[in-house]
Amino acid sequence: DCIRAIQLDPKFTKAYFRAAKCQLYLGNLDDALEQLKNAEKHSSKSITDQHTAVQQEMAVIHTIQKHIKAYHDDLANDKMASALHHIERAMTVVDPSLSGTGLDSSVSEIDTARLDKLPVKWRIWRGEALIGCGDIDEACQQSMAILRKDNRQPDALYLRAKAMHLLDSHPTTTVMQYLQQCLAFDPDHKKAFSLRKHIKNLENIKNEGNDCFKQGNYDDALTAYQKYLDQDTNGAIIRAKVFSNRATVYSKLSLWEECLSDCQSSLDILDKTCFPTVYLRQADALMKSEKYEEAVRAYEMASTIKPEDREIKSAIRNAKKALEISKRKDYYKILGLQRSASDSEIKKAYRKMALLHHPDKQVGLSDQEREVAETKFKECQEAYEVLSDPRKKQLFDAGHNVDGSSASAGGPSMDDIFAQFGQSRGGFSQFGGSPFGGSHFGGSSFGNGFSQFADEDDFDPFQQRGHSGHYHRW
């Protein structure tokens, strides 16, 4: 549409700007620059704002180009962490809101789920860098995010297959199916051809070693496993498993030093490949689901793989603290309040909940229902005892154990509750009328003090007391 608009009006500057933005989001930086140059050529010399805008947009494109070039240079020199930094910096230049959105469990600084509008090839490059940094699970997430939008994207199919192979998370047949799909949509995809051949070869060698081990031919098994390790220098979890298999062979041969060395090599790979990512992601979801005990276990599993990781240690402390807090009564929740509730909101909520659960209002209920109501009423008293006291509330909010159970001993009467807020239950005094009493609460048959039923439009005082017949509302 932009190109058509330019054809109709070559001096339509806005169309050039919009075309440049389209090219930017497609990842075509040279074409984006060309459109901006055309905008500058056709912009009015007398309008300074247009010229300034063109220069600013060009500066953005040049910055992105520098990061893209740095990414490819780092990739060629096997500087994966730096490569990941530069491709993600290019992304944040386009969308600054991405900065700092990465998960704690990932080496990435941005959130994979928020990259849908950015160029697909940039996201593929990011996936390659993530694999190089050992964050294979996040690379998997990246490929899946692309495939959900376009399940025929060859590079994403290849990236997915590579990540699955390195994680050894799926059968080899599944990995090969992804590579076959990739080649079906792009028959000249050289990386897919190479990976398919590589996996076939490795699978044959691994099976040879496993067969020799099962037959007790330990020397032949060692030879096969060594051959595998020599050829799969970039492997991840699957390479760690082969080291573990070879360690088992060494143990059978009583070669303990060699066994220990292979065990350590396997653990080192797990440490470098961000294997705790799955546990950390699980723990994060459990924390947000308020399943704190399970979250602590997940964090501790991650810690066994990365025992020196300070962030994981900090996460364990936070999870344990949350677990401790969850085991005590949540006085805000008891009163149906948010933690940001004001003093007046606390008073209002307490009055409402205390009246709702007061024993005087539980007429006609079963013993079990009355017992539940009584428990809730006492909890309301405890909650108000703590939250209405500034010092106790401050300690409670800070995570300290504050006991308000003394407030629930005996419990106030309905009159006491109204008196706390300077109100009378009798008659209509709060509505400006005379203070008639209520027969059910110690007064005459006129009025029962509507204040406790202010929010109960359908309350029927006669039916509540077992009366029947017609009546007029007051």
Side-chain angles (χ1 to χ4, degrees):
D1 284 349
C2 291
I3 292 171
R4 180 63 181 142
I6 291 168
Q7 289 173 345
L8 294 171
D9 183 2
K11 294 184 179 181
F12 187 18
T13 310
K14 282 187 178 179
Y16 291 109
F17 274 103
R18 289 171 183 166
K21 186 174 182 179
C22 291
Q23 296 290 10
L24 172 61
Y25 275 88
L26 289 170
N28 303 325
L29 300 181
D30 290 337
D31 292 333
L33 273 178
E34 188 64 28
Q35 294 295 346
L36 290 173
K37 289 176 182 177
N38 289 333
E40 185 176 39
K41 182 170 67 176
H42 293 286
S43 64
S44 174
K45 301 295 183 182
S46 60
I47 303 178
T48 306
D49 288 348
Q50 283 188 358
H51 179 73
T52 302
V54 170
Q55 294 301 314
Q56 288 175 342
E57 293 299 323
M58 282 186 172
V60 169
I61 301 295
H62 287 310
T63 300
I64 295 171
Q65 285 180 323
K66 288 178 182 178
H67 284 299
I68 297 295
K69 182 180 183 302
Y71 162 82
H72 288 296
D73 290 343
D74 288 335
L75 204 67
N77 294 311
D78 202 30
K79 297 179 180 178
M80 294 301 180
S82 181
L84 178 63
H85 169 75
H86 283 295
I87 191 61
E88 291 190 344
R89 284 292 295 120
M91 291 176 167
T92 54
V93 170
V94 176
D95 184 358
S97 68
L98 292 172
S99 182
T101 59
L103 300 173
D104 292 338
S105 57
S106 174
V107 298
S108 173
E109 297 177 357
I110 59 180
D111 183 2
T112 298
R114 299 177 59 177
L115 305 182
D116 284 353
K117 293 182 179 180
L118 294 176
V120 171
K121 61 184 177 184
W122 292 7
R123 288 184 275 159
I124 295 293
W125 293 344
R126 175 176 177 264
E128 292 281 9
L130 284 166
I131 287 178
C133 291
D135 199 346
I136 304 170
D137 186 66
E138 193 68 20
C140 255
Q141 298 298 322
Q142 179 66 90
S143 64
M144 290 166 63
I146 297 171
L147 291 171
R148 278 193 288 269
K149 297 282 186 178
D150 180 6
N151 61 8
R152 297 188 173 193
Q153 219 294 327
D155 291 325
L157 289 166
Y158 165 76
L159 183 65
R160 175 77 170 130
K162 184 177 181 179
M164 286 195 300
H165 165 65
L166 293 173
L167 286 174
D168 198 26
S169 57
H170 293 73
T172 303
T173 52
T174 303
V175 178
M176 300 302 277
Q177 286 173 358
Y178 272 91
L179 292 173
Q180 283 298 119
Q181 289 180 36
C182 172
L183 291 169
F185 299 128
D186 182 3
D188 298 324
H189 202 289
K190 294 181 180 180
K191 289 183 178 180
F193 265 118
S194 177
L195 182 58
R196 185 176 66 170
K197 181 179 178 181
H198 181 65
I199 292 174
K200 281 183 178 179
N201 185 41
L202 290 177
E203 191 68 12
N204 290 334
I205 298 172
K206 185 180 73 172
N207 289 337
E208 179 187 343
N210 292 343
D211 290 341
C212 290
F213 176 79
K214 291 174 184 176
Q215 295 165 12
N217 299 328
Y218 299 135
D219 289 336
D220 291 340
L222 285 177
T223 301
Y225 289 144
Q226 183 60 53
K227 185 178 179 182
Y228 183 102
L229 294 169
D230 289 341
Q231 294 193 23
D232 189 37
T233 56
N234 295 320
I237 306 302
I238 191 168
R239 182 175 174 83
K241 288 183 177 181
V242 173
F243 269 118
S244 178
N245 288 351
R246 194 171 72 169
T248 305
V249 177
Y250 281 134
S251 70
K252 293 289 185 181
L253 297 172
S254 298
L255 298 172
W256 307 117
E257 290 299 323
E258 289 83 352
C259 176
L260 285 171
S261 177
D262 274 7
C263 286
Q264 189 59 52
S265 296
S266 180
L267 292 171
D268 288 343
I269 290 173
L270 294 178
D271 182 57
K272 292 176 182 177
T273 52
C274 298
F275 194 63
T277 299
V278 179
Y279 289 116
L280 293 173
R281 182 169 285 119
Q282 179 191 41
D284 182 61
L286 289 168
M287 286 289 287
K288 290 173 180 175
S289 302
E290 298 184 1
K291 298 177 181 178
Y292 302 117
E293 193 166 351
E294 295 173 56
V296 170
R297 287 199 294 268
Y299 279 128
E300 287 177 340
M301 285 299 297
S303 183
T304 60
I305 299 170
K306 283 193 170 184
E308 302 302 321
D309 193 300
R310 292 182 180 180
E311 291 187 1
I312 295 177
K313 289 181 179 179
S314 176
I316 291 174
R317 288 194 296 272
N318 292 337
K320 286 182 175 179
K321 185 66 175 177
L323 175 60
E324 180 186 338
I325 293 173
S326 70
K327 290 182 177 179
R328 63 189 175 99
K329 292 180 180 178
D330 187 342
Y331 291 137
Y332 288 99
K333 193 172 184 180
I334 289 171
L335 296 181
L337 294 167
Q338 299 292 327
R339 286 187 168 267
S340 58
S342 64
D343 290 344
S344 61
E345 289 173 328
I346 291 171
K347 288 180 181 179
K348 183 178 179 181
Y350 162 66
R351 178 175 175 275
K352 178 181 177 181
M353 299 301 288
L355 291 174
L356 178 66
H357 299 297
H358 197 281
D360 287 355
K361 289 194 64 178
Q362 312 310 318
V363 179
L365 299 182
S366 66
D367 290 342
Q368 185 177 359
E369 289 173 327
R370 288 176 65 86
E371 186 177 340
V372 170
E374 183 178 351
T375 300
K376 290 183 177 180
F377 179 69
K378 289 180 178 179
E379 288 179 343
C380 290
Q381 293 298 309
E382 292 177 27
Y384 188 67
E385 168 73 14
V386 172
L387 299 183
S388 63
D389 185 311
R391 184 172 175 278
K392 290 181 180 180
K393 182 176 182 293
Q394 184 179 14
L395 290 171
F396 180 79
D397 290 342
H400 298 287
N401 288 323
V402 183
D403 187 10
S405 58
S406 61
S408 61
S413 67
M414 295 277 278
D415 289 322
D416 292 335
I417 295 173
F418 280 100
Q420 283 182 299
F421 300 95
Q423 296 176 343
S424 168
R425 293 172 52 239
F428 304 98
S429 60
Q430 71 222 60
F431 302 130
S434 61
F436 292 119
S439 62
H440 304 312
F441 304 109
S444 69
S445 58
F446 291 98
N448 58 356
F450 279 10
S451 59
Q452 77 255 38
F453 307 122
D455 295 326
E456 302 175 24
D457 294 334
D458 295 326
F459 179 77
D460 184 341
F462 290 96
Q463 292 178 358
Q464 188 76 0
R465 289 293 175 178
H467 295 289
S468 61
H470 299 288
Y471 66 94
H472 297 287
R473 291 190 182 275
W474 307 115

